Amino acid sequence: MIDISKVNKELADATPLEIIEWAVKQGSNPIVSTHFGPFEAVVLHTAVAAKKDITVVWADSGYNTRDTYVVAEKLIRSLELDVQVYTPKITAARWDNAFGGVPDVGEDRHVEFTENFKLEPFTRAMKEVAPDVWITGVRAEQTEFRKNMEVISQGADGVIKVAPFLHWKEADMQNYLNEHDLPNVQSYFDPTKGLSNRECGLHTQL
């Protein structure tokens, strides 16, 4: 069991790469999760720099834009990513035709929709892949909830959760993309969030 408070102090001035290098040494099965959305190339590029064969978990809702899938394939090839894809047990086409499409955030059906298309696939991934370290690309400026997160935390299941870019701004992410000539998604859609500054549930529940 690591001392979370002590580690956060020790890594306070560390770069994202240094944080990830520390993280991958803490367990035998680290992962980095991705949605292949905006600036995810930064997270993935840094993660494979620290551990080239790190497992990448992608919970693909099936509602992603064409741009997202195109950029995802570019990154998978160029970074030689070991991607484990988890999809919902119900397809987007079936949901749309049987249940009337993506519900608005205020609708009762939105909770069920989020469970089916985001939470269940990712929870299943975590159970099957069984990581001991989870690296995520969340940043404090994205939502109110994330402003109170720490770079290093630990879940009830003992998984060490790492947010190496927590204190980076969008400008920092863009500079990294430019420096390393990485592709970025311009058209992105997460059907479970509704608004870009709204939590979808992964980081509040896991």
Side-chain angles (χ1 to χ4, degrees):
M1 184 70 71
I2 64 172
D3 186 330
I4 297 296
S5 179
K6 180 181 179 182
V7 170
N8 276 301
K9 289 179 181 178
E10 292 174 347
L11 296 176
D13 297 319
T15 66
L17 177 59
E18 291 170 339
I19 293 169
I20 296 176
E21 288 175 335
W22 171 88
V24 297
K25 294 176 182 177
Q26 306 309 306
S28 59
N29 189 27
I31 68 163
V32 56
S33 62
T34 187
H35 48 65
F36 283 108
F39 303 115
E40 286 292 286
V42 176
V43 182
L44 296 168
H45 185 270
T46 309
V48 297
K51 181 175 172 56
K52 185 163 182 59
D53 63 346
I54 191 168
T55 298
V56 179
V57 170
W58 180 18
D60 176 10
S61 70
Y63 280 97
N64 282 302
T65 63
R66 181 180 184 279
D67 187 27
T68 301
Y69 289 117
V70 169
V71 171
E73 291 304 317
K74 287 181 180 178
L75 290 171
I76 290 169
R77 290 195 302 270
S78 64
L79 300 179
E80 299 179 349
L81 300 177
D82 177 15
V83 181
Q84 303 296 316
V85 183
Y86 282 80
T87 57
K89 293 183 177 181
I90 179 172
T91 65
R94 180 184 170 194
W95 179 274
D96 286 350
N97 287 283
F99 302 105
V102 179
D104 291 335
V105 173
E107 292 184 50
D108 293 339
R109 291 187 306 121
H110 194 272
V111 173
E112 179 186 2
F113 179 83
T114 299
E115 175 64 31
N116 281 319
F117 286 89
K118 175 65 72 68
L119 302 181
E120 189 283 326
F122 192 78
T123 300
R124 178 164 25 103
M126 293 294 277
K127 289 180 179 178
E128 293 184 5
V129 179
D132 42 22
V133 175
W134 171 22
I135 298 163
T136 173
V138 299
R139 293 183 291 114
E141 69 175 3
Q142 292 173 319
T143 70
E144 284 298 317
F145 176 81
R146 296 175 188 187
K147 288 179 181 178
N148 297 313
M149 289 178 64
E150 292 186 301
V151 172
I152 309 296
S153 58
Q154 195 162 30
D157 55 2
V159 176
I160 299 172
K161 187 174 177 181
V162 184
F165 295 91
L166 187 66
H167 302 301
W168 273 34
K169 304 297 184 183
E170 186 171 310
D172 300 317
M173 304 295 278
Q174 185 62 55
N175 288 338
Y176 190 103
L177 288 177
N178 296 342
E179 180 181 352
H180 297 280
D181 193 25
L182 295 168
N184 195 31
V185 171
Q186 302 301 318
S187 174
Y188 177 73
F189 173 61
D190 182 342
T192 66
K193 293 182 71 171
L195 299 172
S196 61
N197 63 348
R198 179 179 179 273
E199 285 291 338
C200 62
L202 285 185
H203 300 286
T204 58
Q205 297 186 30
L206 300 174

